[in-house]
Amino acid sequence: MSGRTPRRTPRLPRRTLATTALALAAATVPLTVTAHATPPTPKKALKTLDHRSPISTAFTLPGDRAYPESITADPRTGDLYISSYVTGTIYRATPGHHTAQVFLPSGTDGRTTANGVKVDRSGRLWVINSTTGVAVYDLHTRHLIARFDVARTGTGAGAGAGAAKPFVNDLALTPDGTAYLTDSSRAVIYRVAPHQLAHAATHGRHAALPPAYDLSGTLPKDPTAVYTLNGIAAAPSGRYLLTVDMTAGTLYRVDITSGAIRQVALHGGDIRDGDGLELRGTALWATHNRSNTITRWRLSDDDATAHLERRLTDPSLQTPTSIVHSRGRPYVTRSQFTKGGPMGQGTPQIPFTVATVNGI
C-alpha cells in the first residue's frame, strides 16, 4: 500500500525536516491540465486544514538506513508494521510507544528490500520484495507461511510488456482474504487467493505469483515511463480495485469479477507521483512522494468520478510514500527517499520517522 516516482530497486538512484509551510488550495485548485485529468471547477472550494493541527512525529525508527516505504495496521491490536525499502527490515510500532522495534531483520528469508506491507484479518503479514514477489508470515510466530515468486522472464500478461524485469510494488486485501499486487514495470496486477495460500503453505511453502489483470493496453503510452502502476486499494465491498498510474497521474477502477478496467475521471487535480492509496468508504487518500503532498478524494456512487476535497503540501512530510488510518489517526511514512535513498542523493535526517497528520 506500498508509493515513489517509482519505487526502484536498491541499485537505482531512488526528507530533511524543513520549516513547516502548509500550502493549501483555496477557491481554485492549481492544475497542470493533461488529457487524463479534468480541470477544477472554480465554484467549488477545497476545505483547508486547521493550522492548529500540524504534522507531528508519531514514532521513530531505529537505524540510519531505515528509509520507510509502506505502513499497515493490525486491526486486532492496533500495532503498526513498517517496511524498509533499503534494507528489507520490517519494524513494529505498538500503541503507547514512541520508538518502533525490529520485527523481521534485514536478510530474513533472503530479503534485503521491502515494499508494500499488509496485515490480514487472520493475523498474517504480507511483505513485498519488489524483485521477487511476496512473502506471508504468521504474526504470532514470525515464521514464513509461504512465498509467491514472480516470473523473471517471458512475455505476455505474466511477464508484462516484453520481457520487462518485475517491480512488484504495493498490495491490497479484499474482505475474503485475497491479495492483489501491482507490478510497476509490467503494468499488471497479480492475485493470491486464500486457497492458493493454503495450498502453498502445505506444499513446500513456495508457489508462482499468478497475474490476474493486465493494464498495459489501457495505460497512456509514454515511452519515457519506466514505471506506471503503484498504489492499490480494495473497495470495502470487495467488488473492485483502484490503482494509480504514478507517471500519468491517472486512477483506474478494476472490476474484480469481470476484469473490466476503466479510468476514473478526476476533478480538481491529478494523482501524479501517486504512491500509497487508502480507501475507506467513498473517501480515497493518496500520498504523492516527490511533491510532499497528501490528497483526499471523494468517489461518486458509481465510482466513475473522484472529486478532490483536500490537499496538503508540506516539506515536513519528507517524501510520503504510504498512509494508513488506525484507531482514528492517519499515519504517514516519511521515506526521505530523495535524501540518499532510491530517489536522490543527499543526507537523511536521523532518526527516520512516521508522522501523524490531523485534519486530512
Side-chain angles (χ1 to χ4, degrees), residues 48 71 75 104 124 152 154 220 246 254 260 280 284 308 341:
T48 59
I71 186 169
L104 295 173
R124 295 175 298 226
R152 302 285 300 173
M246 72 180 98
V254 181
R280 299 168 69 89
L284 175 70
L308 181 62

Side-chain angles (χ1 to χ4, degrees), residues 212-239:
Y213 311 108
D214 187 350
L215 282 75
S216 60
T218 303
L219 303 183
K221 303 301 180 185
D222 183 350
T224 66
V226 178
Y227 298 101
T228 53
L229 298 185
N230 197 325
I232 187 170
S237 64
R239 295 186 299 109

Side-chain angles (χ1 to χ4, degrees), residues 198-283:
H199 184 272
T202 56
H203 291 77
R205 297 190 301 177
H206 282 79
L209 183 58
Y213 311 108
D214 187 350
L215 282 75
S216 60
T218 303
L219 303 183
K221 303 301 180 185
D222 183 350
T224 66
V226 178
Y227 298 101
T228 53
L229 298 185
N230 197 325
I232 187 170
S237 64
R239 295 186 299 109
Y240 66 88
L241 307 167
L242 294 176
T243 186
V244 62
D245 178 342
M246 72 180 98
T247 302
T250 45
L251 184 69
Y252 295 88
R253 180 190 189 277
V254 181
D255 187 285
I256 287 176
T257 302
S258 69
I261 302 166
R262 63 174 176 168
Q263 185 172 336
V264 178
L266 300 178
H267 296 270
D270 59 33
I271 314 183
R272 198 174 305 277
D273 297 326
D275 206 320
L277 298 181
E278 185 182 25
L279 180 61
R280 299 168 69 89
T282 59

Side-chain angles (χ1 to χ4, degrees), residues 27-287:
T28 303
V29 185
L31 172 70
T32 301
V33 179
T34 72
H36 312 293
T38 303
T41 304
K43 294 181 181 179
K44 289 189 176 181
L46 292 182
K47 294 181 180 179
T48 59
L49 294 176
D50 185 346
H51 286 246
R52 296 171 298 177
S53 302
I55 299 167
S56 59
T57 296
F59 52 87
T60 62
L61 302 173
D64 59 3
R65 297 285 292 169
Y67 290 102
E69 206 284 335
S70 182
I71 186 169
T72 185
D74 184 340
R76 306 165 307 162
T77 65
D79 289 350
L80 299 166
Y81 295 85
I82 306 96
S83 63
S84 167
Y85 179 81
V86 170
T87 70
T89 301
I90 304 299
Y91 304 95
R92 179 171 65 185
T94 56
H97 294 77
H98 299 295
T99 302
Q101 302 297 321
V102 172
F103 183 74
L104 295 173
S106 174
T108 300
D109 300 305
R111 183 180 55 254
T112 57
T113 182
N115 283 56
V117 289
K118 281 290 186 293
V119 173
D120 65 23
R121 295 178 179 180
S122 298
R124 295 175 298 226
L125 175 66
W126 298 68
V127 181
I128 287 179
N129 179 329
S130 62
T131 63
T132 60
V134 64
V136 188
Y137 293 90
D138 183 307
L139 281 179
H140 178 66
T141 64
R142 308 190 190 192
H143 292 163
L144 178 70
I145 297 173
R147 195 176 80 188
F148 295 84
D149 296 330
V150 66
R152 302 285 300 173
T153 59
T155 58
K165 292 182 179 180
F167 194 94
V168 189
N169 204 330
D170 206 353
L171 78 157
L173 299 169
T174 50
D176 69 351
T178 301
Y180 295 88
L181 307 87
T182 56
D183 190 317
S184 296
S185 64
R186 295 177 173 180
V188 300
I189 297 175
Y190 304 104
R191 175 172 55 204
V192 179
H195 73 273
Q196 293 170 310
L197 176 59
H199 184 272
T202 56
H203 291 77
R205 297 190 301 177
H206 282 79
L209 183 58
Y213 311 108
D214 187 350
L215 282 75
S216 60
T218 303
L219 303 183
K221 303 301 180 185
D222 183 350
T224 66
V226 178
Y227 298 101
T228 53
L229 298 185
N230 197 325
I232 187 170
S237 64
R239 295 186 299 109
Y240 66 88
L241 307 167
L242 294 176
T243 186
V244 62
D245 178 342
M246 72 180 98
T247 302
T250 45
L251 184 69
Y252 295 88
R253 180 190 189 277
V254 181
D255 187 285
I256 287 176
T257 302
S258 69
I261 302 166
R262 63 174 176 168
Q263 185 172 336
V264 178
L266 300 178
H267 296 270
D270 59 33
I271 314 183
R272 198 174 305 277
D273 297 326
D275 206 320
L277 298 181
E278 185 182 25
L279 180 61
R280 299 168 69 89
T282 59
L284 175 70
W285 286 264
T287 58

